Each structure stands twice: as structure tokens, then as C-alpha cells.
Amino acid sequence: TKLGARILSKEELNAILPNAESIYEQIEVFRESIPDESNGQGHKQYETEQKTNNIGIMGRRGAGKTSILKTFYHILESEDAKDKEKAGDIILPIIIPENMSSGTTLMDAILGRLKSIVDEKMEEEKEKKYLGDCIYSGKRTLEGLYNELVKQYCYIKKDYRDILIQQFTTEQNYVDKTKKVFSSDSEFITMFNRFVTKLLQKEGKQEKKNSMMFLFIDDVDLSTNRCMDIVRTLLVYLSNPRIVTFISGDIETFEEELTLEFLRQEEALREDVFRETFYSVNNISGSSLLERKKTLAYEYLKKIIPPAYRRTIRYWDLEERGNYKIIGNEDGEEKSLPDERKSLVELLVEVTKEKKK
């Protein structure tokens, strides 16, 4: 039996998160709300419609958030592997912002993981079809679309944008390059949505469920300096009907960091600012800037992780943790009956005695 973050049994999952079953129902609701492509309008809707499918697993440190994420990742991956012909979901590896290098953004990590998926799919397709002397080459292929997507993404990156604008030869050349920079965000969003559609595209006429892409972002509260990047990426780039994102973290820490970031942006991280108010309505003094930024952070998080999509893990005190009983699985069956299981305290006592010998 492994302690720490691990894949949980069904009984353990329900013990830590009693309403875990509702997450499956929520995913099916997301799946059913995907625009119908049969009338040819589905693709166009992706380019304009924003849909937030973010499921939050909220709780304190050590509450079991990572284990829950790993469990849902394993369940979704297992279900997809059972019937490849009718499934087709894409489950990207879990992203831990804390483990990313300082210059890497969340979108960088996602595009990097998508590259592996594209390479895998292209290898499968190369075994089936050939186009003339070339094997699936061109911008219309999945690989070509991915390369164009990455190229467009470069226009968003500040370093590349600065280089692009500075390297001009004529006034018209400067104007043309500046146009690319001005429209980079909207163009990238459109291209990303098209890419996701292509990536999850159905082939053949057999009936399949609406395929979706699942992202897992763990411990967003540990990397406080990345909170704004995570929020912006989720809100601007990943609001797609076919994308479901699992996010784990401490909601209070997340909200606190957003509040501080709003104050930093206005260069208002000063003690006097926290006490003063800067507006009044009908000669009645308003709330302080700090209070208003707290409210803004709260409302912002409501858009990113709507309260209806949040699942909060109950905090266990030391006594409850000691009485926790671990159950293992062997060939899909429980190793022991509930009354035969030992608590965590009893197991630790046994291990301690064994070591003393």
C-alpha cells in the first residue's frame, strides 16, 4: 500500500470527496452541450463561442487533491482505452505549474504536450495513407495545422513581437508587421479552436460520442507568481466547448494572489493605499482599494471556476487522519473486508515495531 498521492479506489475516492460521482455527470453535461457539426455550423461556433468547462478540486494542502486528480486521470484514460473506435477523447498528462521553468507559461506547456499527441496521430495516419510521393504533408494536415498554430503563437510572445516589429525595412513593412502583432491574440484563439476541432475530428460514419480534450492542472496555489498566467490562459485561450480542465488548489490562496496581482498592476502595494478610499457616491465614502480588489478577484474566480463546478475536499484533523483506513485493490476486488482493515495509526504502530526489531 502506497501512502501519499496515488490512484484511489472507488471507496477511498468517495471517502475523501463524497460528491465525486457528480463530476461524471457534469462531464456528460459538457459533452452534450457541444455544438452539432452535422449542419456545418459547429466549426464556426468554436471560433466565436466561449464555454468554460473548468472543474475545480478545492482544498487545503495535504487534503488529497493530487490523488483525486490522478484518480480521474486514470479513470478517463482507462475508459477511453476500452473502446478506441467509439471513444477518441484526448487526456493530456497532468501539468504542475511549480515544476515548469521560470520562462515557461501554461500555454507553452500545453502546446508541448499537444506536440506529442500530434506526432502519435501522424504516425498512425502515415501507416494508412500516402499523398503522392509525400506522406501527409501540407498545411491542411494535423501536423501542418499545429505548425501554423505554433507560428501564430510566437506573435503573442513579447520577445518575438519586439524582434518582429524592430526588424523592418520600409514604412509599409513596419505597418504590415504591426498588424500581425495587433491581431495576434484573436488569430491565435481562432486557430487554436480549429486545431482542437481537427484533433478531435471524427473519421468515418460510425457513431461516436462527442470527443473531448481533458487537461489537468495540479497545485495552482503553490506557484503564486503563475496565478495570473493560469487565469488568463483558462479564460482567453481554453474556453472551448470541447475542452474540460481539472484544476486543483487552495481557492483562498488563489484569490489572495489575484488580489495582490491587481494591486501590483496599479502600483498600489503601499500601506496608505490599504487604508484610503478613492471614490464616493452621494458623499458617502466608498470601500478601500484593497476591498474592491478582493471583490474583483472573487468575481474573476467565479468566471474561471464557477461555484457550481467546484468540489471542496473536507479537511481532516489529526484524529480523523489516524482513523483513516486504506483499502487496496487486487484484480478489481477488495483485498480485505471493511471490518478487517486496520487504521492508519495501527499500521504505523506495526511498521514502527517491525523497525525496532
Side-chain angles (χ1 to χ4, degrees), residues 275-292:
R275 295 193 302 265
E276 295 180 13
T277 58
F278 296 89
Y279 80 102
S280 61
V281 179
N282 298 327
N283 296 322
I284 300 175
S285 179
S287 58
S288 68
L289 181 62
L290 176 60
E291 290 301 320
R292 295 205 304 279

Side-chain angles (χ1 to χ4, degrees), residues 197-220:
T197 302
K198 180 73 172 178
L199 191 65
L200 298 169
Q201 190 173 10
K202 301 176 182 179
E203 292 185 8
K205 296 183 178 180
Q206 69 271 26
E207 279 193 29
K208 294 183 183 179
K209 65 181 181 181
N210 287 324
S211 301
M212 305 187 78
M213 185 165 73
F214 292 89
L215 303 175
F216 293 82
I217 308 173
D218 192 18
D219 287 333
V220 294

